[in-house]
Amino acid sequence: MTAPATPPLESDAQLAARFACEAMQYYPVLLRSARRLTHCDADAEDLVQDTLMHAYMGFRRFEAGTNLRAWLFRILHNRWISAYRRKQRRPNELTVDEITDSDMAGSAIHSSNAGRSAEEEALDVLPDRQIREALSALPEGFRQVVFYADVQGYTYAETASLMGIPMGTVMSRISRSRERLRTSLGATEPDAA
C-alpha cells in the first residue's frame, strides 16, 4: 500500500487569493457580530481586522471542507475575549492635559486611602526652629521654589511663572530641595520636650 500523496503547498499569492475568495465573503456578517460584542463601530472594525489577520495567519492549517464560517466566528469571539481581558487588566488612561492640580487634590481628599505623606508626619515631630534652619541652609533659588510650591501651595506652573523660570527647572529644584531637606532633617534628632 502506498502512502497518499500530500498536496503541493500553495504559494503565498495562491493562499491570499483563496483566503480572499473564501473568507472575505463573511466580512459583513463578522462585522455585524463584532458590533454586537463591542457596541462601537470603530472597535468592531478593529476586531474584525484582527480576526481576519489571525485567520489568514492560520489559513494554511484550516481543513478544506469544514465549516469556515464557524471557524471565523470562533476566532472573532476568542479575539474579543482576549481584548476584553487585556482591557480589564489595564489601568484607565487619561491624558495629563485633562488632569488639573485641583483634581488631584480633590481625589486625594476624597480617597479612602489618602493618608498623610511621610514628610508631613515627620514635619509634625520636628520643631519649627529645625525646619527654618534646614530651609535657610538651602541655596536662594531652591529656597524660593520650596516656599512657593510647598509652603504657599502654588502649582509648579504658577511657581515657574512667579519666578520667571521654566517649569522643568522648578520641578528639578523642588526634587533636589526636598532631598536636601530630608537629609538635613533626618540627621537631626527631634528635641525632647
Side-chain angles (χ1 to χ4, degrees):
M1 186 190 282
T2 62
T6 58
L9 289 177
E10 59 189 345
S11 69
D12 290 339
Q14 291 171 329
L15 178 71
R18 187 167 65 92
F19 183 80
C21 178
E22 294 177 17
M24 292 306 290
Q25 66 181 330
Y26 296 112
Y27 181 84
V29 181
L30 289 169
L31 188 58
R32 281 194 303 271
S33 182
R35 282 186 185 129
R36 280 193 304 273
L37 292 171
T38 62
H39 304 289
C40 174
D41 288 340
D43 290 342
E45 290 172 1
D46 289 345
L47 178 60
V48 171
Q49 181 179 0
D50 188 42
T51 299
L52 291 173
M53 181 187 70
H54 276 78
Y56 181 74
M57 290 186 327
F59 200 58
R60 283 196 200 277
R61 294 185 307 267
F62 178 73
E63 289 184 33
T66 58
N67 192 345
L68 178 61
R69 180 179 168 153
W71 184 67
L72 290 172
F73 273 97
R74 174 52 52 197
I75 294 172
L76 176 89
H77 193 259
N78 288 343
R79 298 307 305 157
W80 176 72
I81 290 172
S82 295
Y84 180 80
R85 287 178 180 162
R86 189 172 36 256
K87 187 188 279 187
Q88 292 300 317
R89 288 190 307 263
R90 189 177 187 136
N92 291 335
E93 295 177 358
L94 295 172
T95 60
V96 177
D97 297 337
E98 296 174 6
I99 301 173
T100 63
D101 289 339
S102 61
D103 292 337
M104 301 250 323
S107 67
I109 290 170
H110 298 298
S111 176
S112 62
N113 61 355
R116 297 182 65 210
S117 70
E119 286 84 2
E120 290 173 338
E121 291 179 12
L123 289 175
D124 288 343
V125 176
L126 293 171
D128 290 340
R129 178 187 54 77
Q130 288 177 325
I131 295 171
R132 277 195 302 274
E133 288 173 2
L135 280 171
S136 64
L138 291 174
E140 179 62 28
F142 287 54
R143 186 174 37 239
Q144 283 181 322
V145 169
V146 169
F147 175 76
Y148 287 132
D150 290 341
V151 177
Q152 294 295 320
Y154 288 112
T155 65
Y156 291 165
E158 292 168 336
T159 302
S161 176
L162 285 169
M163 294 183 66
I165 58 176
M167 192 166 71
T169 304
V170 170
M171 294 167 61
S172 172
R173 287 182 182 176
I174 285 286
S175 176
R176 286 191 247 146
S177 298
R178 288 177 181 165
E179 185 61 37
R180 287 182 180 187
L181 287 172
R182 269 188 219 104
T183 303
S184 64
L185 292 173
T188 61
E189 290 288 324
D191 292 339

